[in-house]
Amino acid sequence: MSAESATAIQKGQVDLLDFIDWSGVECLNQSSTHSLPNALKQGYREDDGLHLESDADEQLLLYIPFTQVVKLHSFAIKGPEEEGPKTVKLFSNKEHMGFSNVNDFPPSDVAVLSPENLTGKPVILKYVKFQNVRSLTIFIEDNQTDSENTKIQKIVLYGTTVETTDMKGLKKIEDH
């Protein structure tokens, strides 16, 4: 699919930043001086001087677990016109993926970003594929101009939390 953009974030959708489990966040092939927190963490991602950059080649593999189940509606990526991501594959609830096996699994959705998308304009996802998301793997396959490195200034994930029942809070009903 081509990256369909939302003119405005749908009512009720929030930035899922507060629901990211930071202890489990990983990024393969990131530069040691330009790492994932630069593009994902509050404060860092608003600083145009900071960015995430790939290291050995243009590909990046991000793993983002959540502290609770979420419904993912859309995402936004801000990046430079030349080195910004182009083909973005998203996988719902796929753990322990690496560059050696990322193409063994069908992605939940694929977005081909245009330079216009790289201004931070939200890209709508196949909402039905992202209803019970515990973790999100994002594979940046290439960039806009096939340059050596990919750069991302900002990543925002939009969605809602899923109201789950706290099973510990339920009391057993006694038989009479």
Side-chain angles (χ1 to χ4, degrees), residues 29-162:
N29 194 38
Q30 66 183 339
S31 161
S32 58
T33 54
H34 300 288
S35 60
L36 180 58
N38 288 353
L40 199 55
K41 278 198 168 179
Q42 188 74 43
Y44 293 81
R45 67 183 187 182
E46 282 73 34
D47 184 337
D48 287 340
L50 297 174
H51 63 272
L52 164 63
E53 187 172 339
S54 62
D55 190 24
D57 59 22
E58 75 283 2
Q59 296 186 333
L60 287 162
L61 191 60
L62 291 63
Y63 175 72
I64 304 170
F66 296 100
T67 56
Q68 59 182 285
V69 179
V70 300
K71 293 180 180 184
L72 191 62
H73 175 266
S74 55
F75 71 94
I77 290 182
K78 186 177 177 190
E81 208 170 294
E82 295 81 34
E83 300 105 338
K86 184 175 183 182
T87 308
V88 180
K89 294 182 178 179
L90 297 103
F91 301 85
S92 175
N93 303 323
K94 288 280 186 226
E95 297 180 2
H96 311 297
M97 292 180 78
F99 290 110
S100 60
N101 70 352
V102 72
N103 289 316
D104 295 348
F105 302 99
S108 303
D109 204 353
V110 178
V112 179
L113 304 182
S114 68
E116 182 189 17
N117 292 123
L118 295 175
T119 61
K121 200 171 186 179
V123 176
I124 306 293
L125 295 169
K126 292 178 185 162
Y127 197 51
V128 294
K129 300 273 190 168
F130 298 95
Q131 290 296 300
N132 287 294
V133 181
R134 291 177 305 284
S135 67
L136 181 69
T137 302
I138 303 172
F139 176 44
I140 309 290
E141 193 167 39
D142 54 15
N143 58 40
Q144 295 292 320
T145 57
D146 295 322
S147 58
E148 185 66 28
N149 298 95
T150 298
K151 294 180 182 175
I152 301 172
Q153 293 161 321
K154 184 176 186 175
I155 300 171
V156 185
L157 304 171
Y158 295 104
T160 56
T161 57
V162 175

